[in-house]
Amino acid sequence: MPPNICQFSRRRLIGTLGLSAAIIALSGRNLGRAGAAPTAPMADGFQLMHARTGSARLRGADQPATPIWGYAGVTPGPLLRTKRGEELKVRLVNELSEPTVVHWHGVRLPNAMDGVPHLTQPPIAPGASFDYRFSAPDAGTFWYHAHLYSSEQMDRGLYGALIVDEREKVDVDRDVLLVFDDWRLNADGTIHETSFRSMHDAAHDGRLGNHFTANGVPDFEIAVRSNERIRLRLVNAANARIMSLRLDRHRATVMAIDGQPAEPFVARDGRVTLGPGNRADLFVDALLEPSATAPIVIDSGSGERTLARLVYDSGAPARPAPRSRDPQPLPPNPLPLRMDFAGALKLDVPIEGGAMMMTGGMSGRTGPTTGPISGMLRDGFDGAAVWSLGGRASDGHSGKPLFAVKRGRTVMLALANRTAFPHAMHVHGHHFRLLDRLDDGWKPFWLDTVVVPARETWRIAFVADNRGKWMLHCHMLEHLETGMAAWFEVI
Ligand code: C2O
Ligand code: CU
């Protein structure tokens, strides 16, 4: 079925949105260092986290606040922090008027904690709660977000960062978290709700916003002192936007991608590109003079916009001279050391459909074979199969798995993007290698989400070492909800 590119629909009204919301005043400064404080743990060691309505000054302190949904009523939600190997215990209390779940993006956790509706847990009903409990196997920058009706729940603000600290000391003065998002706002600052589940967005780039934030504010200030070394932890929390970011007048060394340490390399011209779901850890030496400022800008498609800025203290430098040693690699996480390509399960995974489709897309040949995918969908997309992954449109949990594999076996997937759009392909429960074009060598980093450009085939490989049922899907959430999802099983 050809996508009807002008169809909009209005979802049922959420009764009390904005009215019952507690107004939490957030200044960029107090959020930025560490995020909103999580609640004190309960007697049983669980931190309570309430998914609920709230409001946020997305357009700045002098503008009316935007009604949002958030963990603890704020967006980004509370910064969760633990140490590698230590247990995190979060009790999610659903105070929304619809079901939800929480997914821990990039964390190689036990399957039952992965937060995928129907596949790993039932949705958490309004008024109910669910206990998430796992120990974090890897140190790095991760994030958590809603995984039900994600194109709306995440767009309204249901996400936050999870930092897992190394057990070893890392040679930086401090960490600065930057969670980026783009929002589609009306002129009065409210979220543009009538375009949720727009077929036009679904069949094209997904929902792109018209307003950018870092840590929920339009221009986030990072206070630095001369000669410090800071670790910037970047998270792209947007529904669909590929973010091309640039840090002005500083040398940024990429230390980790998607939470996993990389062979350090200097970002050319201070530029980093993050697909939806991607993270990057940068080490930056603050080498400008006291009182200097330097922006972090995004290429918005129509020019650069400032998202955040380094603002140097006017006082004495933090130390007489900057560090003389280049950043040393972060301590390794316990990832597989080798992969057995000879014995690998090799699979072609075509990505098809969408507007301006290349290969007939969904028309006839690759209709949904898993029944209506309306299990995760409501009005608007209307259960539409706009895209397919691996030959069929799916909600990512029903029907048969894309493949099943014995635990420990290497899996090589050829992600063949036959569409006119890039897609941010995300694998749950595992990190993968991006393979070189001509041979089976790989890039010197690990990923959990990779942007596959239009009309290109990229190959990835991972060791299927985590038992359970895992999703593979596009992290452009309007694509995820219109067919570009699948699941696989590690037995
Ligand atoms: Cu970050 Cu299946 O998602
Ligand atoms: Cu996509």
Side-chain angles (χ1 to χ4, degrees):
M1 52 155 268
N4 170 356
I5 58 170
C6 294
Q7 179 184 333
F8 286 90
S9 79
R10 181 185 283 274
R11 53 161 305 158
R12 72 197 150 77
L13 228 73
I14 296 294
T16 57
L17 175 61
L19 297 177
S20 65
I23 308 296
I24 296 180
L26 285 175
S27 83
R29 278 185 186 278
N30 64 32
L31 222 184
R33 284 290 164 70
T39 55
M42 310 286 291
D44 58 6
F46 277 87
Q47 304 177 42
L48 286 187
M49 200 161 70
H50 300 258
R52 61 177 179 83
T53 57
S55 73
R57 304 231 170 229
L58 302 178
R59 296 179 302 158
D62 54 342
Q63 296 291 318
T66 301
I68 54 103
W69 297 358
Y71 299 111
V74 298
T75 186
L79 168 62
L80 301 177
R81 195 154 199 162
T82 186
K83 226 186 203 127
R84 184 165 78 79
E86 283 176 12
E87 196 172 46
L88 189 71
K89 293 161 86 175
V90 174
R91 177 164 301 142
L92 192 281
V93 183
N94 183 6
E95 291 180 359
L96 303 170
S97 56
E98 61 182 48
T100 193
V101 284
V102 181
H103 168 59
W104 308 89
H105 183 122
V107 182
R108 300 186 300 141
L109 40 59
N111 191 241
M113 295 290 109
D114 198 41
V116 174
H118 311 293
L119 197 65
T120 69
Q121 70 168 94
I124 309 164
S129 71
F130 187 90
D131 288 352
Y132 292 98
R133 164 183 206 160
F134 55 86
S135 61
D138 301 318
T141 304
F142 301 91
W143 65 306
Y144 60 96
H145 60 73
H147 212 299
L148 184 60
Y149 311 128
S150 327
S151 70
E152 176 172 344
Q153 291 194 1
M154 288 174 67
D155 192 74
R156 288 187 185 272
L158 283 166
Y159 57 77
L162 164 63
I163 292 177
V164 182
D165 285 304
E166 291 78 9
R167 303 192 140 275
E168 305 77 359
K169 168 121 187 59
V170 172
D171 186 27
V172 292
D173 291 292
R174 61 207 163 73
D175 277 12
V176 178
L177 172 67
L178 290 169
V179 182
F180 299 117
D181 198 358
D182 68 340
W183 304 77
R184 190 179 291 177
L185 300 181
N186 296 306
D188 66 357
T190 57
I191 292 175
H192 197 273
E193 297 177 338
T194 50
S195 59
F196 278 134
R197 286 171 300 285
S198 135
M199 271 303 252
H200 182 273
D201 289 341
H204 293 80
D205 293 291
R207 181 181 175 93
L208 301 177
N210 55 10
H211 179 76
F212 295 90
T213 55
N215 298 341
V217 297
D219 188 356
F220 182 77
E221 279 190 17
I222 302 159
V224 296
R225 294 175 69 191
S226 298
N227 296 341
E228 277 186 313
R229 175 172 288 173
I230 58 174
R231 176 180 191 167
L232 295 180
R233 299 174 180 265
L234 314 182
V235 181
N236 180 353
N239 276 33
R241 182 180 295 273
I242 299 169
M243 294 190 169
S244 170
L245 304 159
R246 186 175 63 79
L247 168 59
D248 200 37
R249 293 162 71 205
H250 288 78
R251 195 169 117 117
T253 306
V254 179
M255 301 298 294
I257 304 178
D258 285 356
Q260 303 292 1
E263 273 174 35
F265 63 95
V266 176
R268 205 193 303 165
D269 303 326
R271 285 177 202 278
V272 182
T273 298
L274 300 178
N278 282 139
R279 288 88 62 216
D281 289 42
L282 312 177
F283 281 11
V284 175
D285 286 319
L287 301 184
L288 301 186
E289 63 292 350
S291 301
T293 68
I296 296 174
V297 298
I298 186 167
D299 180 350
S300 69
S302 56
E304 289 191 332
R305 301 204 207 170
T306 298
L307 289 173
R309 63 186 82 227
L310 303 185
V311 178
Y312 281 65
D313 193 274
S314 57
R319 58 173 58 80
R323 284 173 174 72
S324 52
R325 208 155 91 111
D326 281 343
Q328 299 301 297
L330 290 166
N333 285 325
L335 286 152
L337 294 176
R338 55 178 58 86
M339 295 192 202
D340 171 20
F341 285 163
L345 171 70
K346 299 193 171 97
L347 201 69
D348 287 328
V349 183
I351 301 166
E352 295 169 311
M356 297 178 267
M357 58 191 79
M358 312 283 299
T359 56
M362 300 304 303
S363 26
R365 197 170 59 78
T366 49
T369 58
T370 57
I373 60 169
S374 50
M376 286 174 73
L377 304 175
R378 295 177 291 192
D379 46 339
F381 303 135
D382 282 328
V386 177
W387 307 91
S388 69
L389 182 62
R392 63 184 180 224
S394 167
D395 54 19
H397 63 79
S398 41
K400 284 192 307 197
L402 185 63
F403 59 89
V405 61
K406 262 204 137 147
R407 182 164 177 239
R409 192 166 173 201
T410 298
V411 176
M412 292 171 88
L413 303 179
L415 302 170
N417 184 353
R418 300 187 187 141
T419 79
F421 299 91
H423 298 289
M425 303 312 299
H426 173 45
V427 178
H428 281 218
H430 300 78
H431 275 73
F432 54 81
R433 294 287 199 178
L434 182 59
L435 301 185
D436 292 330
R437 288 314 180 78
L438 301 176
D439 56 40
D440 289 341
W442 55 54
K443 305 284 180 222
F445 47 76
W446 294 86
L447 298 167
D448 59 45
T449 305
V450 65
V451 176
V452 183
R455 301 176 195 92
E456 290 196 20
T457 297
W458 282 19
R459 292 177 307 137
I460 64 170
F462 61 94
V463 178
D465 55 4
N466 202 352
R467 223 182 278 278
K469 298 176 174 178
W470 303 103
M471 262 182 109
L472 160 68
H473 66 84
C474 181
H475 219 283
M476 286 143 174
L477 305 172
E478 293 71 30
H479 299 171
L480 157 64
E481 293 187 352
T482 53
M484 202 181 294
W487 63 281
F488 63 95
E489 183 160 20
V490 182
I491 306 163

